[in-house]
Amino acid sequence: MALRAGDQGQVAMNGLKEKVLTLDTMNQCVRRVEYAVRGPIMLRALELEQELRQGMKKPFTEVIRANIGDAQAMGQKPITFMRQVLALCVDPELLSSPHFPKDAKRRAERILQACGGHSLGAYSVSSGIQLIREDVAQYIERRDGGIPSDPNNIFLSTGASDAIVTVLKLLVAGEGRTRTGVLIPIPQYPLYSATLAELDAAQVNYYLDEEHAWALDVSELRRALVQARDRCRPRALCVINPGQVQTRECIEAVIRFAFEERLFLLADEVYQDNVYAEGSQFHSFKKVLTEMGPPYAAQQELASFHSVSKGYMGECGFRGGYVEVVNMDAAVQRQMLKLMSVRLCPPVPGQALLHTAVSPPQPSDPSFAQFQAERQAVLAELAAKAKLTEQIFSEAPGIRCNPVQGAMYSFPRVQLPPRAVQRAQELGLAPDMFFCMRLLEETGICVVPGSGFGQLEGTYHFRMTILPPMEKLRALLEKLSQFHAKFTLEYS
């Protein structure tokens, strides 16, 4: 093929054509994407693990990854019934084995009957297997005290993340001062900031109140909204619940605010099984919205998300989740299905696993006692870890930790000496990134700097999971507290 004159000149000059795709010519929205949970700290942790395997001497013998909510990577055991059903679905020949309980076999047969070719290896419809969407609807009805749920308003997804991205794609429109703004909580989950950057939408931060256990205050929502209207058109509000466990009164106030300001509500409820604080309980946004009655129940648009990655399940790798939409425009809902169909379907093994989470064994089933015991053991241990984390950090000078009311993370605030802040700036690092990187290099503990999640100016935090086994968690917390004391002394 003949080369254009300019191309020939380029080849003649250096023997190589300039690449079509470079950092300058690529999608600049993608360049702006940051995902702190798997950012520079995690990359360095992987390098350290490799160096340890190669026999390099370090001041620690292992890297402890407390950066991400990956329960089974931290040693949490899978729930037996869930894995039995999945194993039977993956290998139907096991249905004749005497080693599996009858109720697990019945579940597997039911799921396989709903699959194309009676195989987990077949595509499903894009919104997910109808039978499993019906199971999800029944779960939501039980959870919400009998409030109806329509399977046609439920879309299964590749974890909750994929569904969140899909809904945000539907919401993002306009440019300049008319581009979509989305209110997200600070500290946030980096999926939101990363997705908004990729979609070139406006991130509108509202700050949770650290002085009151990360409470959500509607006056702060209003401040964020009013200020944002100078640069974008706010159209959506995201609330993570539990993270800080929202009271019913708070949820009602948020719904009234969203209704008055014409904001689409996204309720990230993936931690609904993870509530530890005494006197706290999970209230779903859909239940509260419905019980508020008119005009809210019939008009306020809502998407609520759930996943098998968190809770007592911890099945992150199977990527199972769902979104339920409420009061969504019917024509937009058809567009949502079209958008999902581009990716064909969510992973079918993840759909099967979701079935076992939303439709667990009943009291008359052979697997009930073991399932209940395993579920309660996981949740009780997480509650104990939450309490231990608060207790040890509260005794450490210069570290302040709010009670871990729910979810599976702690977000302690750390005091950093001015000289440490200055040194970080000299290195071109955020001060909490500098602290976390030094922590990793000297102790092998991998946590994420608070700057990756957002924080008030002049404050410094880190986020860590409470998932390591109890004794390893205790050692981690004590070692981290000791490192902070040493670090503070070094830079005082």
Side-chain angles (χ1 to χ4, degrees):
M1 184 187 293
L3 293 172
R4 290 178 302 174
D7 290 336
Q8 289 171 334
Q10 183 69 35
V11 171
M13 218 182 315
N14 56 22
L16 292 172
K17 285 197 224 177
E18 185 179 352
K19 291 186 183 297
V20 173
L21 185 61
T22 68
L23 281 176
D24 291 329
T25 63
M26 71 174 285
N27 183 332
Q28 295 304 298
C29 292
V30 173
R31 279 192 75 179
R32 290 196 292 272
V33 169
E34 292 185 5
Y35 192 67
V37 174
R38 296 191 178 216
I41 289 275
M42 182 59 181
L43 295 176
R44 180 57 185 145
L46 293 171
E47 290 174 356
L48 287 170
E49 287 178 336
Q50 180 66 19
E51 290 170 10
L52 285 170
R53 283 193 291 271
Q54 291 170 351
M56 291 179 65
K57 295 296 182 187
K58 302 287 178 187
F60 48 86
T61 57
E62 66 172 329
V63 173
I64 302 175
R65 295 193 203 174
N67 62 304
I68 194 166
D70 191 349
Q72 293 185 25
M74 290 284 98
Q76 182 176 306
K77 299 297 182 189
I79 300 295
T80 302
F81 176 77
M82 299 177 75
R83 286 300 184 88
Q84 286 175 331
V85 173
L86 190 61
L88 290 161
C89 288
V90 170
D91 185 2
E93 288 188 8
L94 294 174
L95 288 164
S96 59
S97 167
H99 300 297
F100 290 82
K102 289 180 180 178
D103 56 337
K105 291 180 179 180
R106 285 196 302 271
R107 293 300 187 83
E109 288 168 344
R110 185 168 174 263
I111 292 168
L112 289 171
Q113 285 293 322
C115 292
H118 300 168
S119 170
L120 225 57
Y123 288 131
S124 74
V125 296
S126 298
S127 55
I129 295 169
Q130 175 70 21
L131 172 76
I132 298 175
R133 286 188 289 127
E134 290 169 359
D135 292 334
V136 171
Q138 290 168 13
Y139 160 78
I140 292 170
E141 287 185 12
R142 290 194 306 272
R143 182 198 69 188
D144 291 345
I147 292 170
S149 177
D150 183 349
N152 292 318
N153 293 333
I154 291 165
F155 298 81
L156 307 190
S157 57
T158 307
S161 301
D162 194 53
I164 291 167
V165 171
T166 297
V167 174
L168 287 172
K169 282 181 178 177
L170 294 171
L171 283 159
V172 172
E175 55 186 30
R177 290 184 63 178
T178 67
R179 68 177 178 152
T180 294
V182 180
L183 281 77
I184 65 170
I186 300 296
Q188 54 118 6
Y189 179 54
L191 167 71
Y192 293 98
S193 57
T195 304
L196 295 176
E198 183 182 351
L199 298 176
D200 201 23
Q203 176 179 322
V204 180
N205 296 337
Y206 68 89
Y207 290 87
L208 302 178
D209 186 353
E210 185 173 9
E211 302 304 315
H212 295 89
W214 301 113
L216 192 164
D217 188 339
V218 170
S219 64
E220 169 61 11
L221 291 179
R222 199 169 303 282
R223 177 209 62 77
L225 182 77
V226 170
Q227 289 187 1
R229 282 183 170 147
D230 290 336
R231 61 185 177 93
C232 66
R233 182 175 293 168
R235 301 181 67 205
L237 166 61
C238 170
V239 180
I240 300 174
N241 176 51
Q244 192 265 357
V245 184
Q246 307 297 341
T247 64
R248 184 188 175 93
E249 292 73 25
C250 177
I251 294 172
E252 287 181 0
V254 169
I255 290 170
R256 281 192 291 270
F257 172 80
F259 181 80
E260 291 162 7
E261 301 294 347
R262 300 191 72 245
L263 297 172
F264 189 107
L265 263 174
L266 292 86
D268 185 334
E269 298 178 332
V270 301
Y271 298 107
Q272 59 191 259
D273 291 304
N274 300 105
V275 178
Y276 317 122
E278 285 185 25
S280 295
Q281 74 178 92
F282 170 73
H283 301 278
S284 81
F285 265 75
K286 183 192 173 187
K287 182 175 192 288
V288 175
L289 173 63
T290 306
E291 292 176 347
M292 287 173 73
Y296 310 102
Q299 296 182 51
Q300 176 59 48
E301 294 153 276
L302 168 71
S304 57
F305 308 91
H306 195 22
S307 164
V308 297
S309 298
K310 311 302 179 185
Y312 61 90
M313 301 85 73
E315 295 283 9
C316 304
F318 284 104
R319 311 307 299 130
Y322 72 80
V323 56
E324 181 185 29
V325 295
V326 177
N327 295 324
M328 180 178 271
D329 181 273
V332 173
Q333 201 160 319
R334 289 192 290 273
Q335 294 296 313
M336 181 169 168
L337 180 59
K338 178 186 76 175
L339 190 56
M340 290 183 152
S341 70
V342 173
R343 291 189 292 274
L344 298 176
C345 71
V348 178
Q351 296 185 47
L353 204 62
L354 177 64
H355 159 85
T356 64
V358 299
S359 187
Q362 297 303 297
S364 59
D365 291 334
S367 299
F368 178 77
Q370 183 179 5
F371 175 86
Q372 285 292 98
E374 291 176 353
R375 178 183 183 277
Q376 288 167 6
V378 170
L379 294 175
E381 186 173 23
L382 284 170
K385 290 174 181 178
K387 197 165 187 178
L388 177 70
T389 302
E390 178 196 352
Q391 174 192 331
I392 291 181
F393 279 151
S394 67
E395 295 169 357
I399 301 179
R400 177 184 169 186
C401 181
N402 271 313
V404 182
Q405 295 185 347
M408 47 185 62
Y409 310 98
S410 174
F411 198 71
R413 182 171 173 173
V414 287
Q415 292 178 6
L416 300 181
R419 284 184 59 226
V421 174
Q422 181 182 343
R423 180 59 183 146
Q425 291 167 346
E426 290 168 359
L427 294 170
L429 297 173
D432 49 9
M433 171 65 85
F434 177 54
F435 172 80
C436 291
M437 197 64 85
R438 282 282 304 273
L439 173 72
L440 175 62
E441 295 286 353
E442 296 184 29
T443 68
I445 296 171
C446 180
V447 298
V448 190
S451 49
F453 299 86
Q455 55 197 350
L456 279 173
E457 188 73 30
T459 66
Y460 308 110
H461 300 78
F462 60 86
R463 192 194 79 159
M464 58 165 281
T465 72
I466 60 169
L467 291 172
M470 185 65 86
E471 287 315 305
K472 186 174 283 191
L473 177 65
R474 184 186 298 277
L476 180 157
L477 294 168
E478 290 172 350
K479 190 184 290 187
L480 201 158
S481 300
Q482 291 161 8
F483 171 82
H484 178 263
K486 172 178 169 289
F487 181 87
T488 300
L489 189 61
E490 179 182 347
Y491 286 97
S492 292

